[in-house]
């Protein structure tokens, strides 16, 4: 039986007289006794031996404060299907530095098809938002603005475009009373959801976007920007385009610009539309950009004429 007397046992004694099945059956008592970290480590090894493939939900529901002994790697083995299980663990975790465990718990629950209600999302707002990118766009719609304020760039690294579609407008609303460099500093991690018109507005504010942020922008949002708009958007960081000219979205943007406009930047960017060249279909041109040369006006006309003659009935 798990009781206060076990506190006086050495670790080797606990190893010898306590088994995982006993701990599982009396987990509530484990949480009531002030065991040392070393003793709790022994208990965790016993449970891990009992369930090497991950704890069953019947045990997870009763972990209580023992949850603090569990690693994110352990949690990723779990199959969590009950929202009540999530709520119980969030309740004991509040105010403790277990943000990584909480993020892993939410990830496992959502991965199994679980849905978070607004009450649970409100509780999550009290934790570090390392869990943001595991939420669905629908769930992100209920995220509080306070979460948007404290989220860091690394918290958003794993977010996909549909998630950024939700987060960016929420961030824009949250930071709407800021201006200038303060606004840009706050909105920067969310710019992966920005549209072309948003980027154009930023280009008029002399924000000097760094190239690392520029690389995270939506390709379809960047492509319509003019050379002058990109120049204003990057400001003092414009020279960084040279190192990125072979990577998307910079490469794809270059393909859409007139070469003489690119030359005015003085960066040595190559791959723009040459003067006097006829580009019949821009998407076809981009497909050829991996190495095939574009045809000038004469060869293009000749190729089209040959194609038409080949299609003429004999």
């Amino acid at each position: 039986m798990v009781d206060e007397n076990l506190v006086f046992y050495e670790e080797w004694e606990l190893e010898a007289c306590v088994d995982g099945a006993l701990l599982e059956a009396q987990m509530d008592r484990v949480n009531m006794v002030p065991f040392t970290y070393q003793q709790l480590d022994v208990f965790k090894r016993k449970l891990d031996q009992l369930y090497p493939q991950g704890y069953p939900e019947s045990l997870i529901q009763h972990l209580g404060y023992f949850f603090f002994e569990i690693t994110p790697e352990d949690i990723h083995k779990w199959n969590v299907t009950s929202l009540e299980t999530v709520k119980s663990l969030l309740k004991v975790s509040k105010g403790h530095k277990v943000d990584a465990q909480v993020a892993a718990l939410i990830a496992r629950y959502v991965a199994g098809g679980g849905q978070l209600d607004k009450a649970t999302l409100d509780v999550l707002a009290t934790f570090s938002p390392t869990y943001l990118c595991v939420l669905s766009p629908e769930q992100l719609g209920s995220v509080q603005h306070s979460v948007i304020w404290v989220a860091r760039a690394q918290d958003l690294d794993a977010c996909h475009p549909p998630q950024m579609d939700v987060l960016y407008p929420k961030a824009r609303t949250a930071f709407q009373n800021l201006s200038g460099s303060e606004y840009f500093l706050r909105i920067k991690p969310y710019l992966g959801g920005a549209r072309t018109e948003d980027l154009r507005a930023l280009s008029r504010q002399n924000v000097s976007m760094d190239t690392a942020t520029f690389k995270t922008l939506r390709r379809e949002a960047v492509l319509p920007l003019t050379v002058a708009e990109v120049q204003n958007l990057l400001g003092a960081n414009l020279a960084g385009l040279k190192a990125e000219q072979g990577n998307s979205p910079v490469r794809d943007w270059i393909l859409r610009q007139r070469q003489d406009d690119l030359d005015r930047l003085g960066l040595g960017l190559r791959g723009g539309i040459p003067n006097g060249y006829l580009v019949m279909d821009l998407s076809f041109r981009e497909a050829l950009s991996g190495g095939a040369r574009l045809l000038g006006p004469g060869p293009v006309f000749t190729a089209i004429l040959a194609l038409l003659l080949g299609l003429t009935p004999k």
Side-chain angles (χ1 to χ4, degrees):
M1 177 177 177
V2 176
D3 59 28
E4 293 82 355
N5 292 326
L6 292 180
V7 171
F8 302 106
Y9 281 46
E10 297 289 339
E11 285 92 83
W12 68 267
E13 294 177 299
L14 292 176
E15 287 276 7
C17 69
V18 176
D19 65 21
L22 174 66
L23 292 171
E24 179 180 16
Q26 299 190 24
M27 184 55 63
D28 292 339
R29 293 193 60 82
V30 171
N31 284 306
M32 294 173 61
V33 179
F35 291 109
T36 66
Y37 290 125
Q38 291 77 12
Q39 291 171 322
L40 291 174
D41 285 342
V42 174
F43 294 162
K44 182 178 181 300
R45 285 198 298 273
K46 293 290 185 177
L47 290 173
D48 291 348
Q49 290 167 6
L50 184 63
Y51 296 111
Q53 303 303 317
Y55 299 172
E57 192 156 11
S58 58
L59 171 57
I60 298 169
Q61 290 171 341
H62 296 94
L63 284 178
Y65 294 103
F66 195 81
F67 180 62
F68 303 161
E69 303 299 312
I70 309 300
T71 69
E73 291 73 25
D74 296 324
I75 296 170
H76 283 301
K77 299 177 183 178
W78 294 356
N79 181 28
V80 183
T81 61
S82 169
L83 182 58
E84 293 308 311
T85 299
V86 174
K87 288 182 175 181
S88 68
L89 294 178
L90 290 181
K91 183 177 180 180
V92 299
S93 299
K94 194 171 182 179
H96 297 271
K97 296 181 179 180
V98 288
D99 294 321
Q101 288 93 321
V102 167
L105 174 66
I106 298 303
R108 292 306 303 145
Y109 177 67
V110 172
Q115 295 295 316
L116 300 170
D117 58 18
K118 187 178 185 304
T120 306
L121 288 169
D122 289 345
V123 173
L124 276 175
T126 64
F127 295 90
S128 177
T130 53
Y131 57 84
L132 276 179
C133 292
V134 305
L135 300 182
S136 68
E138 293 74 22
Q139 292 167 340
L140 287 172
S142 299
V143 166
Q144 298 179 11
H145 283 167
S146 61
V147 176
I148 301 299
W149 276 89
V150 299
R152 305 160 300 172
Q154 56 264 41
D155 296 330
L156 306 174
D157 283 345
C159 286
H160 298 294
Q163 295 167 307
M164 296 306 297
D165 281 345
V166 177
L167 289 171
Y168 174 73
K170 289 180 76 73
R172 194 170 55 180
T173 300
F175 308 140
Q176 62 185 338
N177 293 327
L178 304 178
S179 60
S181 59
E182 187 177 6
Y183 173 80
F184 179 67
L185 183 65
R186 288 290 186 178
I187 200 70
K188 188 165 70 169
Y190 298 93
L191 288 175
R195 307 294 181 181
T196 301
E197 55 268 28
D198 301 315
L199 299 179
R200 283 179 171 146
L202 284 176
S203 75
R204 296 190 288 270
Q205 298 177 26
N206 300 315
V207 295
S208 290
M209 179 184 294
D210 56 277
T211 50
T213 300
F214 190 80
K215 287 166 57 178
T216 69
L217 301 179
R218 289 174 175 271
R219 176 181 178 275
E220 58 269 28
V222 170
L223 293 185
L225 297 177
T226 66
V227 170
E229 287 168 341
V230 169
Q231 184 174 19
N232 290 336
L233 187 63
L234 296 182
N237 299 311
L238 182 66
L241 286 180
K242 178 64 176 177
E244 294 297 327
Q245 67 177 341
N247 305 317
S248 184
V250 176
R251 177 197 62 223
D252 309 313
W253 174 77
I254 288 175
L255 290 171
R256 297 236 173 182
Q257 311 310 311
R258 304 296 305 185
Q259 185 59 50
D260 55 354
D261 291 335
L262 293 171
D263 290 342
R264 293 190 187 100
L265 297 178
L267 302 178
L269 299 178
R270 293 290 178 265
I273 303 171
N275 290 337
Y277 273 56
L278 176 64
V279 180
M280 300 300 295
D281 184 275
L282 197 53
S283 62
F284 176 69
R285 180 177 185 273
E286 291 172 358
L288 291 178
S289 65
R293 295 184 57 186
L294 295 176
L295 300 176
V300 168
F301 179 78
T302 302
I304 294 175
L305 181 60
L307 177 62
L308 292 175
L309 290 174
L311 294 175
T312 303
K314 297 291 191 291

